[in-house]
Amino acid sequence: MMWQYELDKDCVFHRKDIKEAPPRHVLIRPLLVGVCGTDKEICRGHREGIKYPLVIGHEIVAQVVNIAEEDGSNSLKINDRVVVFPNYWCDSCIDCKVGHFNTCKNKVSIGVNAPGALSEYMDVESKYLFKVPDSLSNYEAVLTEPLAVVIHAMKKIDPKPGDNILIIGGGALGHLTTMLLLHELRDKVNIFIKEINIKKVHILREVFGDLVHILSSIYDYPLEFPYLNGLKIVDTVGNNSSISDIMSISNILPSGIRSVILGLGQKNVNIDLYAVVRREIHIEGSIIYNPSDFINAIEILYNMHKEKYEYLYRMPIIEIPLIKINDYFRELINNDEVIKLIINPYGAELRRFKLGSVVEG
């Protein structure tokens, strides 16, 4: 028998023992599971098409327990640590045929329309597993999936030295976007973050200091050189308010602003097509990632680890023990001070810490 935790429509988790089937691929044991906006929306009942009860969890670092002969993997070994590419592509649709696996029309997303990581074991094809470098801690490795989301979006706008980058939203994706930009370009770009939540602003200042400019309104953006040219916008929110910000700033800055939207806060939004055409606004969507983005994320996290990268190590983490998930989950997903929430299947107590303390400790 093996256990799994199922989420019901009232956002209550129930432990359930189920019969363990012989593995057909690679049997893994989740070690840490990250929580993202999708998980929060599922818990709140705001995600369309969800069938409850559901085992959530798709940001996963795990340990290899067994490898079935029929999987054919010759690169993984028992006890290897891996991160999971949680969106299984079909290999046959029109998108997959040209390598656009992130937009696969028959995509299976674990933790969304298939059982996720809040279970004792998972059976995963080896092509969806990426080995974690030995020196990288579980707490760093579990950031691979959300960092890959950011990396995929960054490729859309291709930030370069001299650019001005405006990030709309100071939550987890905004935090990771800032961390990545500072790592790759440091003082060669000007970073602005539009965030009105005072608690999030406090955390941003605590982590990034004076290296970022915090805007409470889009109209606080400086209308002077060198801030007028090369503005690129990263919208981590994706709702009417953030789209309105893109439209508004396009009216006060030179034309040709480029923006990428990776937040899905609202399905239908209002876009001023007149402004898009007249101001030559570039608006591009970005959905999850491709395998190359996952590989890039692991490489970047490994480099950050070697450098003891301060902005990674300052990231505030809250860790929930799975056995106490109903005591904390609903409260913490609605807490504005939570940047990154992690579930530990084998933890005993709630913990709050900076990432560097568990890595260096």
Side-chain angles (χ1 to χ4, degrees):
M1 300 292 287
M2 60 172 275
W3 51 259
Q4 63 184 28
Y5 278 71
E6 297 178 345
L7 178 71
D8 67 23
K9 61 182 179 61
D10 297 315
C11 196
V12 177
F13 292 86
H14 304 272
R15 175 174 166 139
K16 183 178 179 181
D17 292 325
I18 62 173
K19 186 176 181 180
E20 185 179 341
R24 296 186 300 115
H25 303 290
V26 179
L27 190 68
I28 61 172
R29 180 171 65 96
L31 302 173
L32 289 176
V33 181
V35 176
C36 83
T38 298
D39 302 311
K40 296 175 184 179
E41 292 301 293
I42 290 172
C43 183
R44 294 169 182 147
H46 296 167
R47 185 73 178 237
E48 294 182 0
I50 297 298
K51 296 181 180 179
Y52 300 92
L54 173 67
V55 180
I56 67 167
H58 62 272
E59 299 179 3
I60 312 158
V61 58
Q63 182 181 39
V64 175
V65 175
N66 195 4
I67 302 174
E69 288 185 9
E70 59 190 273
D71 183 86
S73 172
N74 56 12
S75 61
L76 293 174
K77 300 180 180 62
I78 305 298
N79 294 326
D80 278 349
R81 288 180 306 131
V82 293
V83 287
V84 181
F85 191 103
N87 296 281
Y88 304 161
W89 60 85
C90 72
D91 259 336
S92 60
C93 74
I94 194 167
D95 285 328
C96 286
K97 286 179 179 179
V98 296
H100 297 172
F101 302 118
N102 62 314
T103 53
C104 170
K105 295 182 180 298
N106 304 304
K107 180 173 59 184
V108 174
S109 299
I110 64 175
V112 179
N113 57 15
L118 294 190
S119 58
E120 190 171 8
Y121 301 108
M122 300 176 69
D123 189 13
V124 180
E125 285 188 62
S126 57
K127 70 178 181 179
Y128 301 116
L129 300 175
F130 295 80
K131 188 175 177 181
V132 174
D134 291 340
S135 60
L136 207 61
S137 72
N138 292 336
Y139 291 94
E140 294 163 298
V142 78
L143 298 175
T144 300
E145 195 271 354
L147 184 59
V149 171
V150 172
I151 289 170
H152 187 75
M154 289 300 99
K155 291 176 180 178
K156 305 282 186 178
I157 60 170
D158 189 22
K160 297 182 181 299
D163 282 346
N164 298 292
I165 311 294
L166 169 61
I167 302 166
I168 301 177
L173 286 178
H175 192 107
L176 286 169
T177 302
T178 306
M179 183 183 77
L180 179 64
L181 286 169
L182 288 175
H183 184 261
E184 302 299 300
L185 294 166
R186 189 65 182 192
D187 56 357
K188 296 178 182 177
V189 292
N190 299 305
I191 301 174
F192 298 84
I193 304 176
K194 196 261 183 167
E195 179 55 65
I196 60 175
N197 187 290
I198 298 301
K199 293 178 180 178
K200 289 182 180 178
V201 168
H202 175 75
I203 294 172
L204 288 168
R205 294 195 184 283
E206 186 179 68
V207 174
F208 299 112
D210 295 332
L211 289 177
V212 299
H213 311 277
I214 309 296
L215 307 180
S216 58
S217 166
I218 212 70
Y219 295 103
D220 293 335
Y221 188 89
L223 302 180
E224 57 191 33
F225 286 105
Y227 307 118
L228 296 184
N229 291 324
L231 179 64
K232 297 174 179 178
I233 300 176
V234 183
D235 182 358
T236 71
V237 179
N239 61 16
N240 266 322
S241 176
S242 62
I243 296 299
S244 176
D245 283 339
I246 295 174
M247 297 294 109
S248 295
I249 201 166
S250 73
N251 284 326
I252 61 177
L253 290 184
S255 62
I257 287 172
R258 295 180 63 185
S259 59
V260 60
I261 302 173
L262 59 154
L264 284 172
Q266 197 170 340
K267 184 176 181 179
N268 298 307
V269 297
N270 299 316
I271 294 181
D272 184 347
L273 187 58
Y274 187 92
V276 171
V277 174
R278 293 290 186 182
R279 301 303 297 162
E280 294 192 335
I281 305 171
H282 301 257
I283 300 177
E284 188 165 2
S286 181
I287 187 69
I288 57 171
Y289 33 69
N290 281 308
S292 60
D293 303 311
F294 241 66
I295 293 170
N296 289 348
I298 295 170
E299 291 172 346
I300 289 170
L301 286 167
Y302 178 66
N303 289 333
M304 288 179 176
H305 172 87
K306 287 194 300 182
E307 299 163 14
K308 296 185 177 180
Y309 182 54
E310 58 182 313
Y311 301 110
L312 172 66
Y313 282 12
R314 288 181 189 176
M315 177 178 283
I317 305 288
I318 298 182
E319 179 183 276
I320 300 176
L322 183 56
I323 58 172
K324 296 184 179 180
I325 193 167
N326 283 319
D327 294 339
Y328 300 111
F329 191 81
R330 276 182 292 183
E331 171 195 348
L332 291 174
I333 64 171
N334 294 307
N335 188 328
D336 292 331
E337 294 179 283
V338 177
I339 296 298
K340 193 58 195 173
L341 188 62
I342 291 173
I343 300 169
N344 187 336
Y346 303 99
E349 299 294 337
L350 182 76
R351 297 202 300 160
R352 299 172 185 263
F353 53 86
K354 297 291 178 64
L355 184 57
S357 67
V358 295
V359 174
E360 296 175 330

